[in-house]
PDB file of all heavy atoms in Angstrom:
ATOM      1  N   GLY W  56       3.505  -4.433   9.026  1.00 86.00           N
ATOM      2  CA  GLY W  56       3.934  -4.745   7.657  1.00 86.00           C
ATOM      3  C   GLY W  56       5.244  -4.095   7.284  1.00 86.00           C
ATOM      4  O   GLY W  56       5.318  -3.415   6.266  1.00 86.00           O
ATOM      5  N   ASP W 120       9.003  10.309  -1.876  1.00 97.00           N
ATOM      6  CA  ASP W 120       9.626   9.582  -0.773  1.00 97.00           C
ATOM      7  C   ASP W 120       8.647   8.630  -0.097  1.00 97.00           C
ATOM      8  O   ASP W 120       8.883   8.171   1.008  1.00 97.00           O
ATOM      9  CB  ASP W 120      10.247  10.557   0.247  1.00 97.00           C
ATOM     10  CG  ASP W 120       9.227  11.521   0.808  1.00 97.00           C
ATOM     11  OD1 ASP W 120       8.059  11.492   0.360  1.00 97.00           O
ATOM     12  OD2 ASP W 120       9.582  12.313   1.696  1.00 97.00           O
ATOM     13  N   GLY W 121       7.554   8.304  -0.738  1.00 97.00           N
ATOM     14  CA  GLY W 121       6.670   7.286  -0.161  1.00 97.00           C
ATOM     15  C   GLY W 121       5.292   7.264  -0.776  1.00 97.00           C
ATOM     16  O   GLY W 121       4.740   8.314  -1.138  1.00 97.00           O
ATOM     17  N   ALA W 122       4.749   6.064  -0.892  1.00 98.00           N
ATOM     18  CA  ALA W 122       3.361   5.929  -1.354  1.00 98.00           C
ATOM     19  C   ALA W 122       2.403   6.409  -0.272  1.00 98.00           C
ATOM     20  O   ALA W 122       1.276   6.784  -0.551  1.00 98.00           O
ATOM     21  CB  ALA W 122       3.070   4.484  -1.734  1.00 98.00           C
ATOM     22  N   LYS W 123       2.866   6.397   0.979  1.00 97.00           N
ATOM     23  CA  LYS W 123       2.006   6.907   2.051  1.00 97.00           C
ATOM     24  C   LYS W 123       1.718   8.387   1.809  1.00 97.00           C
ATOM     25  O   LYS W 123       0.567   8.817   1.801  1.00 97.00           O
ATOM     26  CB  LYS W 123       2.658   6.707   3.417  1.00 97.00           C
ATOM     27  CG  LYS W 123       1.788   7.156   4.567  1.00 97.00           C
ATOM     28  CD  LYS W 123       2.463   6.873   5.889  1.00 97.00           C
ATOM     29  CE  LYS W 123       1.491   7.002   7.040  1.00 97.00           C
ATOM     30  NZ  LYS W 123       2.098   6.594   8.308  1.00 97.00           N
ATOM     31  N   CYS W 124       2.790   9.182   1.590  1.00 97.00           N
ATOM     32  CA  CYS W 124       2.566  10.622   1.381  1.00 97.00           C
ATOM     33  C   CYS W 124       1.770  10.862   0.103  1.00 97.00           C
ATOM     34  O   CYS W 124       0.899  11.723   0.075  1.00 97.00           O
ATOM     35  CB  CYS W 124       3.847  11.433   1.318  1.00 97.00           C
ATOM     36  SG  CYS W 124       5.320  10.587   1.689  1.00 97.00           S
ATOM     37  N   THR W 126      -0.416   8.861  -1.516  1.00 98.00           N
ATOM     38  CA  THR W 126      -1.842   8.513  -1.400  1.00 98.00           C
ATOM     39  C   THR W 126      -2.548   9.486  -0.446  1.00 98.00           C
ATOM     40  O   THR W 126      -3.741   9.715  -0.557  1.00 98.00           O
ATOM     41  CB  THR W 126      -2.049   7.054  -0.908  1.00 98.00           C
ATOM     42  OG1 THR W 126      -1.324   6.855   0.302  1.00 98.00           O
ATOM     43  CG2 THR W 126      -1.616   6.036  -1.947  1.00 98.00           C
ATOM     44  N   TYR W 146      -6.242   0.129   4.265  1.00 93.00           N
ATOM     45  CA  TYR W 146      -5.037   0.848   4.699  1.00 93.00           C
ATOM     46  C   TYR W 146      -5.534   2.229   5.158  1.00 93.00           C
ATOM     47  O   TYR W 146      -6.130   2.958   4.356  1.00 93.00           O
ATOM     48  CB  TYR W 146      -4.092   0.939   3.497  1.00 93.00           C
ATOM     49  CG  TYR W 146      -2.838   1.739   3.674  1.00 93.00           C
ATOM     50  CD1 TYR W 146      -1.910   1.427   4.659  1.00 93.00           C
ATOM     51  CD2 TYR W 146      -2.559   2.802   2.808  1.00 93.00           C
ATOM     52  CE1 TYR W 146      -0.748   2.167   4.793  1.00 93.00           C
ATOM     53  CE2 TYR W 146      -1.382   3.541   2.926  1.00 93.00           C
ATOM     54  CZ  TYR W 146      -0.493   3.221   3.927  1.00 93.00           C
ATOM     55  OH  TYR W 146       0.659   3.947   4.053  1.00 93.00           O
ATOM     56  N   TYR W 149      -6.062   6.399   3.416  1.00 97.00           N
ATOM     57  CA  TYR W 149      -7.056   6.955   2.472  1.00 97.00           C
ATOM     58  C   TYR W 149      -8.206   7.618   3.226  1.00 97.00           C
ATOM     59  O   TYR W 149      -8.633   8.718   2.892  1.00 97.00           O
ATOM     60  CB  TYR W 149      -7.662   5.875   1.559  1.00 97.00           C
ATOM     61  CG  TYR W 149      -6.743   4.818   1.009  1.00 97.00           C
ATOM     62  CD1 TYR W 149      -7.218   3.519   0.796  1.00 97.00           C
ATOM     63  CD2 TYR W 149      -5.423   5.093   0.672  1.00 97.00           C
ATOM     64  CE1 TYR W 149      -6.408   2.529   0.277  1.00 97.00           C
ATOM     65  CE2 TYR W 149      -4.602   4.104   0.167  1.00 97.00           C
ATOM     66  CZ  TYR W 149      -5.099   2.824  -0.025  1.00 97.00           C
ATOM     67  OH  TYR W 149      -4.304   1.839  -0.534  1.00 97.00           O
ATOM     68  N   CYS W 196      -6.911  -0.951  -3.844  1.00 98.00           N
ATOM     69  CA  CYS W 196      -5.551  -1.379  -3.497  1.00 98.00           C
ATOM     70  C   CYS W 196      -5.430  -2.869  -3.763  1.00 98.00           C
ATOM     71  O   CYS W 196      -6.113  -3.667  -3.121  1.00 98.00           O
ATOM     72  CB  CYS W 196      -5.298  -1.059  -2.019  1.00 98.00           C
ATOM     73  SG  CYS W 196      -3.772  -1.785  -1.374  1.00 98.00           S
ATOM     74  N   ASN W 200      -3.774  -4.636   1.084  1.00 97.00           N
ATOM     75  CA  ASN W 200      -3.451  -4.586   2.494  1.00 97.00           C
ATOM     76  C   ASN W 200      -4.744  -4.148   3.171  1.00 97.00           C
ATOM     77  O   ASN W 200      -5.245  -3.075   2.837  1.00 97.00           O
ATOM     78  CB  ASN W 200      -2.351  -3.549   2.762  1.00 97.00           C
ATOM     79  CG  ASN W 200      -2.044  -3.419   4.238  1.00 97.00           C
ATOM     80  OD1 ASN W 200      -2.451  -4.237   5.041  1.00 97.00           O
ATOM     81  ND2 ASN W 200      -1.325  -2.365   4.594  1.00 97.00           N
ATOM     82  N   ASP W 228      -3.700   1.829  -5.674  1.00 98.00           N
ATOM     83  CA  ASP W 228      -2.494   1.638  -4.869  1.00 98.00           C
ATOM     84  C   ASP W 228      -1.938   0.241  -5.155  1.00 98.00           C
ATOM     85  O   ASP W 228      -2.535  -0.763  -4.754  1.00 98.00           O
ATOM     86  CB  ASP W 228      -2.860   1.812  -3.387  1.00 98.00           C
ATOM     87  CG  ASP W 228      -1.637   1.775  -2.472  1.00 98.00           C
ATOM     88  OD1 ASP W 228      -0.559   1.326  -2.917  1.00 98.00           O
ATOM     89  OD2 ASP W 228      -1.775   2.196  -1.304  1.00 98.00           O
ATOM     90  N   ALA W 230       1.163  -0.858  -4.220  1.00 98.00           N
ATOM     91  CA  ALA W 230       2.402  -0.927  -3.436  1.00 98.00           C
ATOM     92  C   ALA W 230       2.944  -2.364  -3.329  1.00 98.00           C
ATOM     93  O   ALA W 230       4.137  -2.555  -3.116  1.00 98.00           O
ATOM     94  CB  ALA W 230       2.176  -0.348  -2.039  1.00 98.00           C
ATOM     95  N   TYR W 231       2.052  -3.357  -3.475  1.00 98.00           N
ATOM     96  CA  TYR W 231       2.483  -4.760  -3.324  1.00 98.00           C
ATOM     97  C   TYR W 231       2.545  -5.497  -4.661  1.00 98.00           C
ATOM     98  O   TYR W 231       2.563  -6.726  -4.690  1.00 98.00           O
ATOM     99  CB  TYR W 231       1.546  -5.483  -2.340  1.00 98.00           C
ATOM    100  CG  TYR W 231       1.628  -4.880  -0.967  1.00 98.00           C
ATOM    101  CD1 TYR W 231       0.733  -3.883  -0.567  1.00 98.00           C
ATOM    102  CD2 TYR W 231       2.634  -5.249  -0.082  1.00 98.00           C
ATOM    103  CE1 TYR W 231       0.831  -3.291   0.680  1.00 98.00           C
ATOM    104  CE2 TYR W 231       2.746  -4.659   1.169  1.00 98.00           C
ATOM    105  CZ  TYR W 231       1.842  -3.691   1.544  1.00 98.00           C
ATOM    106  OH  TYR W 231       1.952  -3.105   2.775  1.00 98.00           O
ATOM    107  N   ARG W 258       2.969   3.413  -6.606  1.00 98.00           N
ATOM    108  CA  ARG W 258       3.885   2.293  -6.422  1.00 98.00           C
ATOM    109  C   ARG W 258       4.949   2.684  -5.405  1.00 98.00           C
ATOM    110  O   ARG W 258       5.185   3.883  -5.191  1.00 98.00           O
ATOM    111  CB  ARG W 258       4.613   1.973  -7.743  1.00 98.00           C
ATOM    112  CG  ARG W 258       3.758   1.394  -8.835  1.00 98.00           C
ATOM    113  CD  ARG W 258       3.731  -0.108  -8.769  1.00 98.00           C
ATOM    114  NE  ARG W 258       3.103  -0.624  -9.978  1.00 98.00           N
ATOM    115  CZ  ARG W 258       3.760  -1.221 -10.978  1.00 98.00           C
ATOM    116  NH1 ARG W 258       5.062  -1.380 -10.921  1.00 98.00           N
ATOM    117  NH2 ARG W 258       3.101  -1.662 -12.033  1.00 98.00           N
ATOM    118  N   SER W 259       5.630   1.678  -4.887  1.00 98.00           N
ATOM    119  CA  SER W 259       6.631   1.970  -3.870  1.00 98.00           C
ATOM    120  C   SER W 259       7.783   0.980  -3.966  1.00 98.00           C
ATOM    121  O   SER W 259       7.573  -0.173  -4.332  1.00 98.00           O
ATOM    122  CB  SER W 259       5.974   1.867  -2.497  1.00 98.00           C
ATOM    123  OG  SER W 259       6.942   1.997  -1.499  1.00 98.00           O
ATOM    124  N   PHE W 260       8.983   1.428  -3.629  1.00 98.00           N
ATOM    125  CA  PHE W 260      10.122   0.503  -3.531  1.00 98.00           C
ATOM    126  C   PHE W 260      10.189  -0.116  -2.132  1.00 98.00           C
ATOM    127  O   PHE W 260      11.046  -0.938  -1.867  1.00 98.00           O
ATOM    128  CB  PHE W 260      11.428   1.238  -3.849  1.00 98.00           C
ATOM    129  CG  PHE W 260      11.513   1.685  -5.288  1.00 98.00           C
ATOM    130  CD1 PHE W 260      11.207   2.986  -5.654  1.00 98.00           C
ATOM    131  CD2 PHE W 260      11.862   0.785  -6.289  1.00 98.00           C
ATOM    132  CE1 PHE W 260      11.249   3.394  -6.982  1.00 98.00           C
ATOM    133  CE2 PHE W 260      11.911   1.183  -7.622  1.00 98.00           C
ATOM    134  CZ  PHE W 260      11.598   2.484  -7.970  1.00 98.00           C
ATOM    135  N   SER W 261       9.275   0.303  -1.241  1.00 98.00           N
ATOM    136  CA  SER W 261       9.332  -0.152   0.154  1.00 98.00           C
ATOM    137  C   SER W 261       9.259  -1.666   0.277  1.00 98.00           C
ATOM    138  O   SER W 261      10.110  -2.295   0.902  1.00 98.00           O
ATOM    139  CB  SER W 261       8.181   0.462   0.956  1.00 98.00           C
ATOM    140  OG  SER W 261       8.476   1.791   1.265  1.00 98.00           O
ATOM    141  N   LYS W 262       8.202  -2.245  -0.291  1.00 96.00           N
ATOM    142  CA  LYS W 262       8.007  -3.677  -0.117  1.00 96.00           C
ATOM    143  C   LYS W 262       8.661  -4.444  -1.261  1.00 96.00           C
ATOM    144  O   LYS W 262       8.961  -5.621  -1.152  1.00 96.00           O
ATOM    145  CB  LYS W 262       6.509  -4.013  -0.022  1.00 96.00           C
ATOM    146  CG  LYS W 262       5.737  -3.135   0.955  1.00 96.00           C
ATOM    147  CD  LYS W 262       6.195  -3.294   2.399  1.00 96.00           C
ATOM    148  CE  LYS W 262       5.768  -2.136   3.281  1.00 96.00           C
ATOM    149  NZ  LYS W 262       4.436  -2.145   3.790  1.00 96.00           N
ATOM    150  N   THR W 267      11.693   0.486   3.041  1.00 97.00           N
ATOM    151  CA  THR W 267      10.811   1.143   4.026  1.00 97.00           C
ATOM    152  C   THR W 267      11.573   2.207   4.830  1.00 97.00           C
ATOM    153  O   THR W 267      11.007   3.246   5.161  1.00 97.00           O
ATOM    154  CB  THR W 267      10.158   0.124   4.984  1.00 97.00           C
ATOM    155  OG1 THR W 267      11.181  -0.689   5.542  1.00 97.00           O
ATOM    156  CG2 THR W 267       9.145  -0.759   4.278  1.00 97.00           C
ATOM    157  N   ARG W 270      13.226   5.048   1.746  1.00 98.00           N
ATOM    158  CA  ARG W 270      12.181   5.933   1.241  1.00 98.00           C
ATOM    159  C   ARG W 270      12.303   6.286  -0.233  1.00 98.00           C
ATOM    160  O   ARG W 270      13.046   7.206  -0.622  1.00 98.00           O
ATOM    161  CB  ARG W 270      12.095   7.245   2.062  1.00 98.00           C
ATOM    162  CG  ARG W 270      12.059   7.118   3.563  1.00 98.00           C
ATOM    163  CD  ARG W 270      10.941   6.250   4.078  1.00 98.00           C
ATOM    164  NE  ARG W 270       9.633   6.683   3.667  1.00 98.00           N
ATOM    165  CZ  ARG W 270       8.632   5.825   3.375  1.00 98.00           C
ATOM    166  NH1 ARG W 270       8.799   4.515   3.445  1.00 98.00           N
ATOM    167  NH2 ARG W 270       7.472   6.292   2.992  1.00 98.00           N
ATOM    168  N   CYS W 271      11.586   5.555  -1.058  1.00 98.00           N
ATOM    169  CA  CYS W 271      11.431   5.960  -2.449  1.00 98.00           C
ATOM    170  C   CYS W 271      10.188   5.282  -3.013  1.00 98.00           C
ATOM    171  O   CYS W 271       9.928   4.107  -2.735  1.00 98.00           O
ATOM    172  CB  CYS W 271      12.660   5.592  -3.286  1.00 98.00           C
ATOM    173  SG  CYS W 271      12.726   6.499  -4.847  1.00 98.00           S
ATOM    174  N   ALA W 272       9.419   6.044  -3.770  1.00 98.00           N
ATOM    175  CA  ALA W 272       8.167   5.544  -4.335  1.00 98.00           C
ATOM    176  C   ALA W 272       7.868   6.375  -5.574  1.00 98.00           C
ATOM    177  O   ALA W 272       8.662   7.257  -5.935  1.00 98.00           O
ATOM    178  CB  ALA W 272       7.047   5.691  -3.308  1.00 98.00           C
ATOM    179  N   TYR W 360       0.545 -10.774   2.792  1.00 98.00           N
ATOM    180  CA  TYR W 360      -0.397 -10.824   3.910  1.00 98.00           C
ATOM    181  C   TYR W 360      -1.350 -12.007   3.793  1.00 98.00           C
ATOM    182  O   TYR W 360      -1.827 -12.315   2.696  1.00 98.00           O
ATOM    183  CB  TYR W 360      -1.227  -9.529   3.983  1.00 98.00           C
ATOM    184  CG  TYR W 360      -0.374  -8.309   4.223  1.00 98.00           C
ATOM    185  CD1 TYR W 360      -0.406  -7.228   3.353  1.00 98.00           C
ATOM    186  CD2 TYR W 360       0.491  -8.243   5.315  1.00 98.00           C
ATOM    187  CE1 TYR W 360       0.380  -6.110   3.558  1.00 98.00           C
ATOM    188  CE2 TYR W 360       1.289  -7.124   5.527  1.00 98.00           C
ATOM    189  CZ  TYR W 360       1.228  -6.069   4.644  1.00 98.00           C
ATOM    190  OH  TYR W 360       2.020  -4.967   4.851  1.00 98.00           O
TER     191      TYR W 360
HETATM  192  N1  LIG T   5       0.147   1.630   0.474  1.00 96.49           N
HETATM  193  C1  LIG T   5      -0.122   0.514   1.166  1.00 96.49           C
HETATM  194  C2  LIG T   5      -1.321  -0.281   0.794  1.00 96.49           C
HETATM  195  C3  LIG T   5       0.685   0.111   2.231  1.00 96.49           C
HETATM  196  O1  LIG T   5       0.386  -0.983   2.925  1.00 96.49           O
HETATM  197  C4  LIG T   5       1.796   0.904   2.572  1.00 96.49           C
HETATM  198  C5  LIG T   5       2.681   0.551   3.704  1.00 96.49           C
HETATM  199  O2  LIG T   5       2.461  -0.290   4.510  1.00 96.49           O
HETATM  200  C6  LIG T   5       2.041   2.040   1.834  1.00 96.49           C
HETATM  201  C7  LIG T   5       1.212   2.385   0.795  1.00 96.49           C
HETATM  202  C8  LIG T   5       3.171   2.956   2.196  1.00 96.49           C
HETATM  203  O3  LIG T   5       4.271   2.794   1.396  1.00 96.49           O
HETATM  204  P1  LIG T   5       5.569   3.714   1.549  1.00 96.49           P
HETATM  205  O4  LIG T   5       6.514   2.999   2.437  1.00 96.49           O
HETATM  206  O5  LIG T   5       6.061   3.858   0.148  1.00 96.49           O
HETATM  207  O6  LIG T   5       5.142   5.031   2.118  1.00 96.49           O
END
Side-chain angles (χ1 to χ4, degrees):
D120 58 356
K123 183 177 194 174
C124 353
T126 54
Y146 175 58
Y149 319 147
C196 170
N200 177 13
D228 186 344
Y231 297 94
R258 291 270 190 106
S259 174
F260 293 98
S261 283
K262 311 296 161 81
T267 52
R270 312 304 303 144
C271 197
Y360 298 124

